[in-house]
Amino acid sequence: MHRHILMDRVPVAVASVIFKRSKLFRDSIESPPYEELIDSVSLEWPEINGEGCYEVAAHTMFGKLDPAFRIARWKGDSFPTIIYHHGNNERPFKCEGLRNNTFHEIFGPKNGEIDANLIVVRAPYHCCYKYYRRQMARLTTFTNLLAVSVSMVEALRKYAADKGSRVIVSGVSLGGWVTNLHRTFYNTADRYIPLLAGAAPSDVFTSSAYRTLTAGRVHENPTALKQITDFEEQFTRVKSDNVFPLLARYDQIIRYEKQKPTYKDHPITVIDKGHYTGVRSTENLRNHILKSV
């Protein structure tokens, strides 16, 4: 078996044993559609005073959530602004030790400076993995998280655009879903660069290697999950030539053959990696973002 495939499947198999009592969506697979969730989001926007981290209170139909963002660098209003959203279970403001932080790996100073303003969004529930895992018993946690992150991206897009900056939205895995959802429901950024994502999240939970981490009710009702989480039709209705995806050929989580049709005639960059090795292939991710910008 190809090593890229193994490196996706083995950790998931181990995790399915560790988390056998707390599988995803074990309590419920019901959720309002994305449009309703996004419309319900109200953000208590902070006063922005330069670079730094900003906490945001997000009021939703399911209560108050805790997203945040960090203006990592602001070179000037005339520079393009990259708004980046992290992957699942990342701590995008922390880069010490062995913490997974794709923003730091892609845009960190060790790789050389990028002529762009850099903003990273932290999704709700991503302060503590134990808390996040407990809340993911309900599908609404996942869909509401996406809706809040999309709303955060739009608020930051407006902040940058009002200063005259050209805006690029990007993200990896979970962040790639957010990137594509923002294009689907807003399409207000200049360019979208989804990394290792498409517009069919249900495939991750019902058919990929990751399916062993989801509860039995998901596998009993795959159509219900698909109807709620997938947005392929809405995505393809957007005709703007402004999306520059990257997918991994051997990805066992965000499966290439399943997600590829999302992009139709839009050019796709394909790397010969799996999901884990693709996420860790930060040189490929960085080069793709720079090329697309």
Side-chain angles (χ1 to χ4, degrees):
M1 188 180 292
H2 205 291
R3 70 181 182 89
H4 297 293
I5 295 174
L6 273 175
M7 291 184 74
D8 282 350
R9 291 185 178 178
V10 171
V12 172
V14 173
S16 68
V17 174
I18 296 172
F19 298 112
K20 64 180 179 180
R21 297 183 183 275
S22 58
K23 293 199 171 184
L24 303 174
F25 318 139
R26 57 194 175 275
D27 290 348
S28 169
I29 56 169
E30 298 174 349
S31 172
Y34 292 120
E35 296 94 324
E36 288 184 27
L37 291 168
I38 292 170
D39 286 345
S40 80
V41 176
S42 174
L43 303 174
E44 290 185 27
W45 203 246
E47 181 179 349
I48 298 176
N49 296 304
E51 297 174 355
C53 296
Y54 296 87
E55 299 286 334
V56 179
H59 300 276
T60 78
M61 65 173 67
F62 294 102
K64 190 166 95 170
L65 300 186
D66 62 343
F69 65 92
R70 176 182 166 226
I71 301 180
R73 185 173 70 237
W74 193 268
K75 291 178 67 72
D77 299 353
S78 62
F79 288 86
T81 297
I82 299 173
I83 300 172
Y84 180 86
H85 194 291
H86 61 85
N88 185 52
N89 194 29
E90 286 190 44
R91 305 293 175 264
F93 302 163
K94 300 176 181 179
C95 56
E96 69 273 11
L98 298 175
R99 291 181 186 276
N100 187 22
N101 185 331
T102 53
F103 177 79
H104 178 74
E105 291 297 318
I106 293 170
F107 299 107
K110 69 177 183 179
N111 297 318
E113 190 166 304
I114 296 174
D115 285 331
N117 305 315
L118 298 174
I119 303 176
V120 57
V121 177
R122 187 193 74 204
Y125 303 107
H126 276 73
C127 287
C128 170
Y129 181 65
K130 187 179 291 187
Y131 174 65
Y132 168 70
R133 188 78 194 181
R134 189 164 63 245
Q135 295 299 314
M136 284 290 280
R138 300 178 299 279
L139 180 60
T140 50
T141 301
F142 177 69
T143 53
N144 206 29
L145 177 158
L146 291 172
V148 169
S149 285
V150 168
S151 300
M152 289 281 289
V153 169
E154 175 58 14
L156 288 164
R157 194 263 339 149
K158 187 175 186 305
Y159 167 79
D162 286 349
K163 291 180 173 292
S165 180
R166 190 165 60 94
V167 179
I168 298 95
V169 176
S170 185
V172 66
S173 194
L174 173 68
W177 305 122
V178 173
T179 299
N180 283 339
L181 277 167
H182 187 274
R183 181 178 181 271
T184 300
F185 294 107
Y186 285 103
N187 195 33
T188 49
D190 294 279
R191 291 197 169 194
Y192 292 91
I193 309 174
L195 309 170
L196 306 178
S202 71
D203 186 71
V204 176
F205 304 114
T206 61
S207 301
S208 80
Y210 206 74
R211 71 186 301 278
T212 59
L213 292 174
T214 57
R217 68 175 66 242
V218 173
H219 307 299
E220 293 164 6
N221 300 280
T223 302
L225 194 80
K226 179 179 175 63
Q227 289 173 343
I228 292 169
T229 63
D230 291 4
F231 54 101
E232 293 163 298
E233 282 189 30
Q234 295 123 307
F235 183 86
T236 55
R237 286 190 208 125
V238 180
K239 301 304 180 184
S240 305
D241 188 21
N242 61 356
V243 62
F244 302 88
L246 177 146
L247 293 171
R249 192 179 310 278
Y250 304 112
D251 197 326
Q252 301 298 293
I253 312 299
I254 314 292
R255 298 191 302 154
Y256 171 69
E257 291 297 336
K258 175 61 182 178
Q259 304 301 331
K260 179 177 69 170
T262 293
Y263 298 111
K264 295 194 177 293
D265 295 329
H266 297 289
I268 303 172
T269 294
V270 182
I271 57 175
D272 289 328
K273 303 285 184 179
H275 194 76
Y276 176 79
T277 53
V279 168
R280 302 302 297 175
S281 183
T282 49
E283 184 177 356
N284 280 323
L285 303 184
R286 177 188 174 90
N287 288 342
H288 178 70
I289 291 172
L290 292 181
K291 179 183 69 175
S292 303
V293 169

